[in-house]
Amino acid sequence: NAGVTQTPKFQVLKTGQSMTLQCAQDMNHNSMYWYRQDPGMGLRLIYYSASEGTTDKGEVPNGYNVSRLNKREFSLRLESAAPSQTSVYFCASNRAGANVLTFGAGSRLTVL
Amino acid sequence: DQQVKQNSPSLSVQEGRISILNCDYTNSMFDYFLWYKKYPAEGPTFLISISSIKDKNEDGRFTVFLNKSAKHLSLHIVPSQPGDSAVYFCAALNNAGNMLTFGGGTRLMVKP
């Protein structure tokens, strides 16, 4: 089982460029999440999707959009990247009613 | 304002001794708490959890203690091993069960 797979693992962007981070899980989980990790700040929730067809804002949604393409896939899009979005991004998932999240390995994004 | 705080950014202990990692929270509506462990270039992995109706949960070398009146929890690792060297995140789940709030993390170094 691959678990939660994120692509790409690394990306460098220039300010104003756009990109999409992809996430897929093969555990038949209902809920999926996008977090960002910054030094000393822990992981902060950007957006989540409780089930296919629904998305909700988390703690730091500004500058991001998401799409729950199907039950397996949840993508995060930066329409116009800013240096403040330099971070490590983690996708996670869990089944309905479960408190434990399973995380992907992360995507390191640098915006110059 | 961070609702979950880990005030020690780092901790160094000798192999075989006890490691104690601390976490404080401010939101009394949190009712489930988790500890995650993170190695470099990997996603966080679930370690141990505790419900707010308990004050202790033990799993092998790992024990989590919860003091609700003080809004404080701690993770004890006994005995500590070099393989325990990682960043440890405390996390709290809201009572709706849809949002996990993380602390800033504590880097544990276990010296041989």
Side-chain angles (χ1 to χ4, degrees):
Chain A
N1 267 344
V4 179
T5 303
Q6 295 181 228
T7 55
K9 292 191 185 305
F10 301 95
Q11 184 73 49
V12 179
L13 292 177
K14 294 181 180 178
T15 298
Q17 287 185 317
S18 62
M19 77 155 299
T20 300
L21 299 177
Q22 307 285 355
C23 175
Q25 51 89 11
D26 61 2
M27 297 172 286
N28 202 34
H29 285 171
N30 298 91
S31 302
M32 298 185 73
Y33 307 79
W34 276 105
Y35 284 85
R36 60 177 287 173
Q37 184 197 1
D38 302 293
M41 300 293 291
L43 286 85
R44 292 181 292 168
L45 183 63
I46 305 171
Y47 270 93
Y48 66 99
S49 170
S51 60
E52 187 178 351
T54 69
T55 60
D56 286 285
K57 294 178 180 180
E59 184 184 354
V60 288
N62 291 346
Y64 304 95
N65 286 302
V66 290
S67 295
R68 183 74 182 267
L69 304 170
N70 47 55
K71 191 171 186 179
R72 289 187 65 246
E73 297 172 290
F74 188 39
S75 63
L76 178 71
R77 182 160 178 84
L78 288 70
E79 290 291 352
S80 179
S84 61
Q85 294 177 305
T86 293
S87 189
V88 181
Y89 291 85
F90 290 98
C91 179
S93 69
N94 66 343
R95 57 179 173 81
N99 295 327
V100 176
L101 303 186
T102 300
F103 283 86
S107 298
R108 182 176 292 275
L109 175 65
T110 301
V111 183
L112 303 175
Chain B
D1 187 31
Q2 284 188 296
Q3 296 187 66
V4 179
K5 290 185 179 180
Q6 295 176 253
N7 291 319
S8 298
S10 64
L11 175 67
S12 180
V13 300
Q14 206 67 36
E15 181 178 6
R17 306 294 288 269
I18 184 172
S19 297
I20 301 176
L21 294 88
N22 294 303
C23 177
D24 297 294
Y25 62 96
T26 57
N27 189 341
S28 58
M29 300 302 288
F30 290 142
D31 64 1
Y32 198 86
F33 303 90
L34 305 91
W35 284 92
Y36 277 82
K37 177 179 179 179
K38 185 184 178 307
Y39 292 118
E42 295 183 10
T45 55
F46 170 71
L47 186 58
I48 193 169
S49 63
I50 188 166
S51 166
S52 61
I53 62 173
K54 294 186 175 182
D55 56 17
K56 177 183 175 181
N57 187 28
E58 190 173 353
D59 183 2
R61 296 186 297 114
F62 303 92
T63 303
V64 56
F65 296 91
L66 175 63
N67 182 333
K68 283 187 66 177
S69 61
K71 296 190 178 66
H72 177 83
L73 63 156
S74 61
L75 174 68
H76 292 210
I77 306 174
V78 181
S80 301
Q81 299 174 353
D84 297 328
S85 297
V87 177
Y88 290 78
F89 291 101
C90 167
L93 188 66
N94 64 351
N95 54 5
N98 61 1
M99 195 171 296
L100 203 56
T101 302
F102 284 82
T106 296
R107 182 177 301 278
L108 173 66
M109 293 163 283
V110 180
K111 298 179 179 179

